[in-house]
Amino acid sequence: MQRRTVLKAGLGLATLPFMARFGFAADPKPVSFWYESASPENQDNLKNILVDSFNAAHPEDMLSIDFRGSDLDKQLRIAMLSGTGPDVVFTAGPSYVAAMAQAGQLLPLDDYAKKYGWNDNLLPLFLELGKYDGKLYALAKTYETLGLFYNKTLFNTNNWKAPTTIAEFESLADEMKAKGLVPFGAGNADWRPANEHYVSIVLNSISGPENVYKALTGAIPWTDPAFVAAIDKLAQWWDKGYFGDNYFSLTLEQAFAQIATGQAGMAPTGTWNFTNIPTYFPQNNAEPGFVGFPSMSGDPIYPLGIGSTLSVNAKAGNADGAAAVLDYIFKDDFYSKMNSVWQGEWNLPLKDLSKVKLADNVQPLYIEVMKNLSSAVNAGKYGYTTWTFLPPATDTYLVSGMEEVWLKKQSSADFLKKLNETFKQEKDAGKAPAVPART
């Protein structure tokens, strides 16, 4: 996000310094990579674990990373339209990939996949999600899910249990509100598309993943009563004050911090927030918890999301070097090192994690949640995040349209009618991301 969140303040535009080259590496070819925001600590992690290490192992290439912040998507779109841009292309997910591939801006990766063995080393589902018109254009940088973060310490104090059904969830939210707590640690001040986190949650937990799949494949419209019920429920949560009074003024990180301080009861949000747990929970003497989001039936729901993708620019000055960077990233060693220092952002879809070794200080909860997500994906028991499976214009409308429902400017039915019309136009135009068959 841009992966559906904004990380700790990026410093505008910064470039990681080049590593001093070995004497025998004459005229290495540059490989450019534009990245979103990252905290100073994580900029250092990228420098040490990716840039310096890759350059040392590939003296014929010279990788550099530019941090473009929250304007990355806009800058990338302008650059790609003009036939320029970075060699390694970072996008916010498959919905962007489909449009860029259709426009001829991305290089097919099928030959590189065969050369480097990606077809054998990566989970097949994610290879399918990176395809457009039968060709591979993107690799998923991270896969993620939405669920329910909570403060275990607060829950133990109040004798609360993590809810498993929607009824339990609402009952708990009402009890929290009665105690003066904000039920949801939520905000969109720095990332308006946070709105779709909650839309994705209700579409899957209220309507059900099977209905979402049917809508994505065109078998039923988005105006189906199952979806009206879901959006009505989300509007009801807003009306009941579950989001509190400061949703539009709190940043994502400020909102999540309220869970650790005990100001808010729960955070319906994504696994990318594991990166914020070490910052807030220890200093508040609190223990974090996470469960798959409650559902009508009581089975946990794991909506599947691709936080971002990596591709090669069709106009790359060094396409082979860019592909070599991708291959360097999608390896056990890189996974181990990066996830040991930066959880929630580099959950690469490797097929076999048996050789992955994480640092001893990595949160056991993170490891447990990622295993649960992997199991759900492998079993075909996953839901769908809107930013991964909707085409771009539909997704953009969803973000603004949901606010209009919350603010009583339109009804759930009118919102879904326009969403359906926009989706149908994009699907007919070939701009919808791939939707693998459910197993």
Side-chain angles (χ1 to χ4, degrees):
M1 155 194 216
Q2 155 200 345
R3 208 217 17 5
R4 308 294 143 182
T5 188
V6 176
L7 304 178
K8 292 183 182 177
L11 303 179
L13 174 59
T15 303
L16 292 178
F18 293 146
M19 178 184 177
R21 308 303 295 181
F22 296 105
F24 58 83
D27 299 324
K29 296 180 180 179
V31 183
S32 56
F33 183 178
W34 292 1
Y35 200 81
E36 55 180 351
S37 299
S39 68
E41 177 185 3
N42 285 326
Q43 288 187 28
D44 287 341
N45 288 329
L46 278 170
K47 175 186 182 298
N48 297 330
I49 298 173
L50 179 55
V51 176
D52 289 353
S53 298
F54 174 84
N55 287 341
H58 296 79
E60 70 279 9
D61 295 310
M62 178 77 79
L63 173 63
S64 64
I65 297 182
D66 290 349
F67 292 95
R68 298 282 172 142
S70 59
D71 286 336
L72 171 62
D73 283 343
K74 179 180 179 180
Q75 294 175 14
L76 185 63
R77 190 160 49 247
I78 293 172
M80 300 293 277
L81 284 172
S82 65
T84 59
D87 296 315
V88 178
V89 178
F90 177 112
T91 83
S95 63
Y96 293 80
V97 171
M100 295 171 77
Q102 186 183 53
Q105 297 170 348
L106 301 178
L107 192 70
L109 301 176
D110 302 271
D111 290 343
Y112 291 120
K114 182 181 295 186
K115 174 183 177 180
Y116 290 118
W118 297 340
N119 294 324
D120 298 322
N121 299 334
L122 304 182
L123 290 169
L125 172 66
F126 293 95
L127 289 170
E128 289 301 311
L129 289 172
K131 291 182 178 180
Y132 176 77
D133 199 21
K135 293 182 179 180
L136 179 66
Y137 286 95
L139 302 181
K141 167 184 165 285
T142 183
Y143 69 106
E144 59 203 11
T145 193
L146 291 158
L148 193 65
F149 280 95
Y150 62 99
N151 184 326
K152 270 190 175 182
T153 307
L154 176 68
F155 271 49
N156 290 338
T157 299
N158 289 279
N159 294 316
W160 292 333
K161 292 183 179 180
T164 60
T165 66
I166 296 299
E168 292 174 355
F169 173 73
E170 292 180 318
S171 177
L172 183 56
D174 289 338
E175 187 173 347
M176 290 174 174
K177 196 166 184 297
K179 286 180 174 288
L181 300 177
V182 178
F184 296 172
N188 77 344
D190 59 341
W191 186 246
R192 193 183 184 193
N195 301 345
E196 67 179 319
H197 301 166
Y198 312 105
V199 176
S200 291
I201 282 171
V202 295
L203 290 179
N204 288 278
S205 287
I206 306 295
S207 309
E210 290 290 348
N211 280 325
V212 179
Y213 174 76
K214 290 177 182 177
L216 290 170
T217 55
I220 62 174
W222 290 104
T223 53
D224 188 273
F227 303 125
V228 177
I231 301 304
D232 279 347
K233 178 64 72 175
L234 186 54
Q236 182 185 81
W237 291 349
W238 181 275
D239 292 342
K240 293 178 72 173
Y242 290 178
F243 287 84
D245 298 327
N246 300 311
Y247 179 77
F248 295 116
S249 60
L250 288 174
T251 67
L252 293 173
E253 188 170 329
Q254 288 170 338
F256 187 79
Q258 290 186 319
I259 307 302
T261 61
Q263 295 170 275
M266 304 174 281
T269 186
T271 47
W272 52 83
N273 271 298
F274 272 102
T275 194
N276 289 320
I277 285 179
T279 303
Y280 295 103
F281 276 80
Q283 70 183 43
N284 286 288
N285 297 312
E287 181 184 359
F290 181 93
V291 292
F293 204 84
S295 67
M296 299 298 287
S297 67
D299 297 321
I301 300 292
Y302 293 94
L304 177 63
I306 293 181
S308 51
T309 67
L310 299 175
S311 301
V312 175
N313 193 333
K315 303 293 184 181
N318 186 0
D320 289 346
V325 171
L326 299 191
D327 186 59
Y328 190 85
I329 290 172
F330 288 87
K331 286 287 189 358
D332 300 329
D333 184 63
F334 181 85
Y335 186 108
S336 299
K337 292 177 180 176
M338 190 59 85
N339 278 277
S340 290
V341 298
W342 190 356
Q343 291 93 54
E345 284 294 326
W346 293 91
N347 186 37
L348 304 162
L350 302 184
K351 185 183 293 185
D352 181 10
L353 297 179
S354 62
K355 296 180 181 178
V356 167
K357 305 296 181 186
L358 300 183
D360 292 339
N361 62 348
V362 174
Q363 308 156 54
L365 180 63
Y366 173 74
I367 298 172
E368 176 190 347
V369 171
M370 291 303 105
K371 285 182 178 178
N372 289 342
L373 175 57
S374 178
S375 296
V377 170
N378 286 331
K381 296 180 179 179
Y382 57 86
Y384 302 87
T385 56
T386 54
W387 61 90
T388 300
F389 291 94
L390 288 181
T394 308
D395 191 48
T396 298
Y397 170 69
L398 181 149
V399 171
S400 61
M402 191 62 230
E403 280 188 12
E404 292 181 352
V405 175
W406 278 333
L407 300 177
K408 309 298 184 187
K409 294 182 178 180
Q410 67 173 341
S411 67
S412 298
D414 288 340
F415 163 61
L416 288 168
K417 179 181 178 182
K418 185 170 181 180
L419 184 83
N420 189 64
E421 291 170 351
T422 308
F423 175 78
K424 189 175 185 306
Q425 290 172 359
E426 289 195 289
K427 187 171 177 28
D428 291 346
K431 294 182 179 180
V435 184
R438 290 185 71 80
T439 56

